[in-house]
Amino acid sequence: MYLWQPMLITSILLTGFVAARDATPATLETPGGREFMEAVQTLDRYYYQDIDWEAAWQGALSGLLESLGNKQTYYLRATAPTPTETPQYGFGLMVNPEQSSGLGAQIDFLFDSGSGKRAGLQRGDVLLSIDDQYVRNKPLEEVINIIRGEQYTTATVTVLRGTQTLSFTVKREPVQIVSVSTAILPGNVGYIAVTTLYDTKVAERVAAALVDFKKRNVQSMILDLRDSGGGLVDNAVNVADQFMSGGPILVLSAKSGFSQNSAIAKRDITDYDGKLLVLVNRNTAGGAEIIAGALQDLKRATVVGEITSGTGLMQTPFSLGDRAQKLMISTTEAIRPAGQPIQGKGITPDVLVMDSRFQSLPTFLGQGLQPGETVTLVYRGETVVLTAGPDGKVIHASALAPAVLTKGAETIDLKKDTILAAAYEVARK
């Protein structure tokens, strides 16, 4: 079991809501601060119309947050959930605001068993519209209300991926959350895939798998952290600790004057101390990067795959005013045992291998239509009705089944999964 070791006296708030403090006078006692307040007073006195100060303050707050250049610090507006008498279902994904102002939605995580991942949606996709509703200018909670609907209803989801606009047909359905999958590969190589660190029992599930491996005399194993994003810091530390006999796992660094904390691994009789390979890809983020970084820095594992996403900030939620508005502030940064930050840098594998599991999407583009005109596309038995946008164009990406899904022995393909194949060869040596 790991130990949290405080480095300063004051402890960091990682969970729970905190009341925002009043701005200190020094905040406005700068040339920019004084000019801002002078501009407010001058506008209020001389502008030729009455000013909607509610909208003005919202705009000022949005501008303040955008100026930080950090999408992980953002504003959540209070939005009432849509009343419904029937159970509501989604696409098996988690979203964050696309903009620091709390507007729009960007996919942060997709569950393996969710319809969104099967349809072809990816982490980082920006939601543009759901059916005929443009959502990029809507508060996050309102977007979530639009995503949700009755079981097995479908929606056309249009996203921005890089510079491409793509449309997918996605079904609303229940999600079976499988946080840990295991298998024994040929040659008695153990395999554990951790798909999410949001499950509070994920460390227990990993521990149970390691007990089983020990009974089977597994001497080398693979820990698959591909597509594992976000999650709880404690879960990440608890998982990493099961592969370490001691040493630092990470340091949480906060602003000067606040506390810093470090997590230290502690030897346990159930720890796995054999040969270890860790798999990562571009979607490995947050807690999974903490695990991979610690095991790499302490020479405990060989990391194989792609450079990870570089998501190493933790947020503290603060309540604003009396209208249930919230401000999510990046208050803490994860620092690897060797001293490098994860944020913006990610984990560079010891062995670089491109992830071959997902094929490219066939994309269909039509143009020359009247705005709002519909066309029907039939491809591989799938029928999709597309509506032309204001520019008279329609675009649709048809999802292909992934080449390999690593959820159990029956779905592992060592020939097609290049990252797994590379790690497996090292594990058997």
Side-chain angles (χ1 to χ4, degrees):
M1 180 63 181
Y2 77 93
L3 299 176
W4 275 113
Q5 177 176 310
M7 299 179 69
L8 292 176
I9 297 174
T10 312
S11 49
I12 292 178
L13 268 167
L14 294 178
T15 58
F17 286 94
V18 186
R21 297 178 180 178
D22 293 333
T24 60
T27 305
L28 297 175
E29 287 303 317
T30 62
R34 289 190 294 269
E35 289 169 4
F36 178 81
M37 292 309 300
E38 186 177 338
V40 168
Q41 294 165 0
T42 305
L43 281 168
D44 189 36
R45 183 172 182 180
Y46 293 110
Y47 190 66
Y48 82 104
Q49 289 182 336
D50 289 338
I51 294 175
D52 181 349
W53 283 108
E54 179 65 22
W57 290 124
Q58 293 278 357
L61 179 56
S62 298
L64 172 63
L65 294 172
E66 291 289 348
S67 72
L68 300 176
N70 173 16
K71 283 192 174 183
Q72 292 167 274
T73 294
Y74 54 85
Y75 173 56
L76 286 175
R77 305 169 190 228
T79 304
T82 303
T84 176
E85 295 180 358
T86 58
Q88 300 292 288
Y89 299 88
F91 305 142
L93 49 81
M94 301 178 72
V95 292
N96 285 332
E98 181 213 347
Q99 305 164 44
S100 294
S101 59
L103 299 180
Q106 185 169 26
I107 297 175
D108 182 58
F109 178 77
L110 296 111
F111 292 98
D112 273 348
S113 61
S115 59
K117 189 165 189 176
R118 291 201 311 272
L121 295 174
Q122 295 183 10
R123 183 177 186 269
D125 286 350
V126 174
L127 302 187
L128 297 180
S129 64
I130 300 171
D131 287 331
D132 59 349
Q133 296 194 65
Y134 186 74
V135 299
R136 205 173 185 184
N137 59 353
K138 296 183 183 295
L140 179 67
E141 291 299 326
E142 190 173 333
V143 178
I144 292 172
N145 285 338
I146 295 170
I147 289 173
R148 291 172 177 158
E150 293 188 13
Q151 187 172 1
Y152 301 131
T153 57
T154 60
T156 299
V157 180
T158 302
V159 303
L160 181 66
R161 181 178 298 166
T163 59
Q164 279 189 304
T165 301
L166 305 171
S167 293
F168 303 87
T169 300
V170 191
K171 184 179 291 185
R172 297 179 177 94
E173 60 184 32
V175 177
Q176 180 184 7
I177 300 175
V178 180
S179 60
V180 176
S181 301
T182 66
I184 300 292
L185 304 181
N188 207 33
V189 176
Y191 172 88
I192 298 178
V194 176
T195 57
T196 176
L197 291 162
Y198 286 103
D199 178 8
T200 56
K201 294 186 179 296
V202 63
E204 294 177 29
R205 303 187 202 284
V206 170
L210 293 178
V211 169
D212 181 60
F213 286 175
K214 190 171 186 178
K215 291 178 182 178
R216 295 170 180 247
N217 197 33
V218 167
Q219 299 299 314
S220 61
M221 69 159 286
I222 294 169
L223 176 63
D224 194 343
L225 299 177
R226 291 175 294 177
D227 302 315
S228 181
L232 306 177
V233 176
D234 279 2
N235 288 345
V237 171
N238 274 320
V239 170
D241 183 53
Q242 297 184 57
F243 300 95
M244 301 168 63
S245 59
I249 299 173
L250 86 158
V251 173
L252 295 180
S253 177
K255 191 173 185 177
S256 176
F258 289 84
S259 74
Q260 298 190 42
N261 288 268
S262 61
I264 308 297
K266 186 179 179 182
R267 176 67 181 168
D268 193 283
I269 193 171
T270 60
D271 289 347
Y272 172 79
D273 57 7
K275 180 183 285 190
L276 179 63
L277 285 298
V278 175
L279 311 187
V280 297
N281 67 358
R282 71 197 74 177
N283 293 325
T284 301
E289 291 180 287
I290 289 173
I291 298 171
L295 297 177
Q296 184 184 57
D297 283 355
L298 272 68
K299 311 297 183 185
R300 180 62 192 87
T302 300
V303 179
V304 182
E306 301 173 324
I307 297 174
T308 63
S309 73
T311 308
L313 299 180
M314 276 128 277
Q315 290 72 45
T316 301
F318 291 82
S319 59
L320 297 177
D322 55 3
R323 295 184 296 175
Q325 317 274 47
K326 300 178 183 67
L327 192 60
M328 299 293 290
I329 300 180
S330 298
T331 53
T332 315
E333 182 175 18
I335 306 297
R336 295 169 56 175
Q340 302 97 336
I342 292 173
Q343 180 67 19
K345 297 182 179 298
I347 310 299
T348 300
D350 302 298
V351 181
L352 279 165
V353 183
M354 293 297 292
D355 196 337
S356 64
R357 293 175 301 159
F358 292 90
Q359 304 168 15
S360 299
L361 298 175
T363 303
F364 302 89
L365 172 67
Q367 53 189 3
L369 303 170
Q370 294 296 318
E373 186 177 356
T374 60
V375 294
T376 301
L377 170 68
V378 180
Y379 177 70
R380 293 184 177 178
E382 177 189 16
T383 301
V384 183
V385 177
L386 305 175
T387 303
D391 57 0
K393 294 181 180 180
V394 294
I395 187 167
H396 180 74
S398 180
L400 293 176
V404 180
L405 281 179
T406 51
K407 293 174 63 178
E410 72 281 3
T411 56
I412 292 175
D413 190 330
L414 291 170
K415 294 181 179 179
K416 294 181 179 179
D417 188 342
T418 51
I419 293 179
L420 179 59
Y424 176 68
E425 288 303 313
V426 177
R428 293 193 66 183
K429 291 179 181 178

